[in-house]
Amino acid sequence: MQRLAAVRPRLLSFARLHLRQNTAAEDAVQDALEAAIEKDASFSGRSGYETWVFGILKHKILDIMRAQKRQGLWQPLEDESDDDAIDRQFQQSGRWQKEARPSSWGEPEAVFENERFWKVFDACMIVLPDTQARVFSLRELMGLTTEQICRELAIKENNCWIILHRARLRLRSCIEQGWLTGEDA
């Protein structure tokens, strides 16, 4: 029960990102926590407990998103324009500007086990524009394919790839500032 209480704020933040309504997010998290409690004995330990609970929440969120779409309550994503910020990071040849090249974050395994990294990551996800955060999360955290994302969000594939690219660039920049310099994101 304690480990569920500890993960609840991250679950709620994740659900709010996708559902955009506090009540729907609360319902999804409550349903996921209830399912985790009921199925606790079936947790096999093949993944981390938190990852397992997030997997349960992922399915709850997708069910709610589909229901919203059927009921005509779905809010389509707005198009965003960050072209100037992205263009400044690259040369005309398409190569990185020298000052915009990615920095080393350290050994990946050690970074992923570091609690401070995840606090910086969460802060960076919060400051991403809604569209970018949702598409990135659906792809990288929830594991949906591009085709599934496009179907769920009613966007075109090329738009999805552009949104993902922009999200990754912003996240990288934010994480480098908060993680590598030791500042809050």
Side-chain angles (χ1 to χ4, degrees):
M1 215 48 167
Q2 277 184 321
R3 56 186 177 177
L4 287 176
V7 75
R8 189 178 190 291
R10 290 190 68 212
L11 293 170
L12 193 53
S13 175
F14 187 74
R16 281 184 184 136
L17 167 72
H18 290 286
L19 300 174
R20 297 190 196 173
Q21 298 171 339
N22 286 336
T23 54
E26 288 279 354
D27 289 347
V29 169
Q30 201 61 33
D31 289 348
L33 293 175
E34 187 177 306
I37 290 168
E38 288 174 3
K39 298 177 182 181
D40 191 59
S42 69
F43 174 65
S44 64
R46 287 182 288 175
S47 65
Y49 188 77
E50 187 173 318
T51 303
W52 179 69
V53 176
F54 264 93
I56 294 170
L57 178 61
K58 168 185 131 174
H59 294 290
K60 302 292 181 188
I61 289 171
L62 289 173
D63 289 344
I64 292 171
M65 288 170 67
R66 288 180 186 123
Q68 287 176 340
K69 200 172 190 179
R70 280 191 307 272
Q71 296 166 359
L73 302 173
W74 179 247
Q75 300 173 15
L77 300 171
E78 300 92 31
D79 193 25
E80 297 173 356
S81 182
D82 291 330
D83 293 338
D84 293 339
I86 292 172
D87 288 343
R88 286 192 300 272
Q89 296 186 22
F90 298 96
Q91 301 171 5
Q92 289 285 31
S93 66
R95 297 183 185 271
W96 287 101
Q97 294 286 1
K98 185 173 179 144
E99 62 277 357
R101 278 193 196 125
S103 302
S104 172
W105 293 2
E107 189 62 36
E109 294 293 326
V111 170
F112 286 143
E113 292 176 12
N114 187 302
E115 186 176 329
R116 187 176 158 290
F117 171 81
W118 290 109
K119 287 181 180 177
V120 171
F121 178 83
D122 288 345
C124 291
M125 283 295 291
I126 289 168
V127 299
L128 271 182
D130 284 350
T131 301
Q132 291 177 12
R134 288 178 78 198
V135 172
F136 178 86
S137 183
L138 287 169
R139 174 69 179 197
E140 304 301 341
L141 303 177
M142 294 175 73
L144 271 64
T145 65
T146 306
E147 183 180 318
Q148 291 170 318
I149 295 168
C150 292
R151 189 173 47 247
E152 292 297 327
L153 302 180
I155 59 175
K156 294 184 179 173
E157 187 174 352
N158 63 340
N159 191 22
C160 183
W161 287 112
I162 290 169
I163 293 168
L164 279 169
H165 180 68
R166 290 175 177 170
R168 289 173 179 141
L169 288 174
R170 281 183 175 219
L171 274 174
R172 189 201 87 203
S173 176
C174 180
I175 289 170
E176 284 179 351
Q177 177 187 353
W179 174 244
L180 298 178
T181 64
E183 300 170 8
D184 289 336

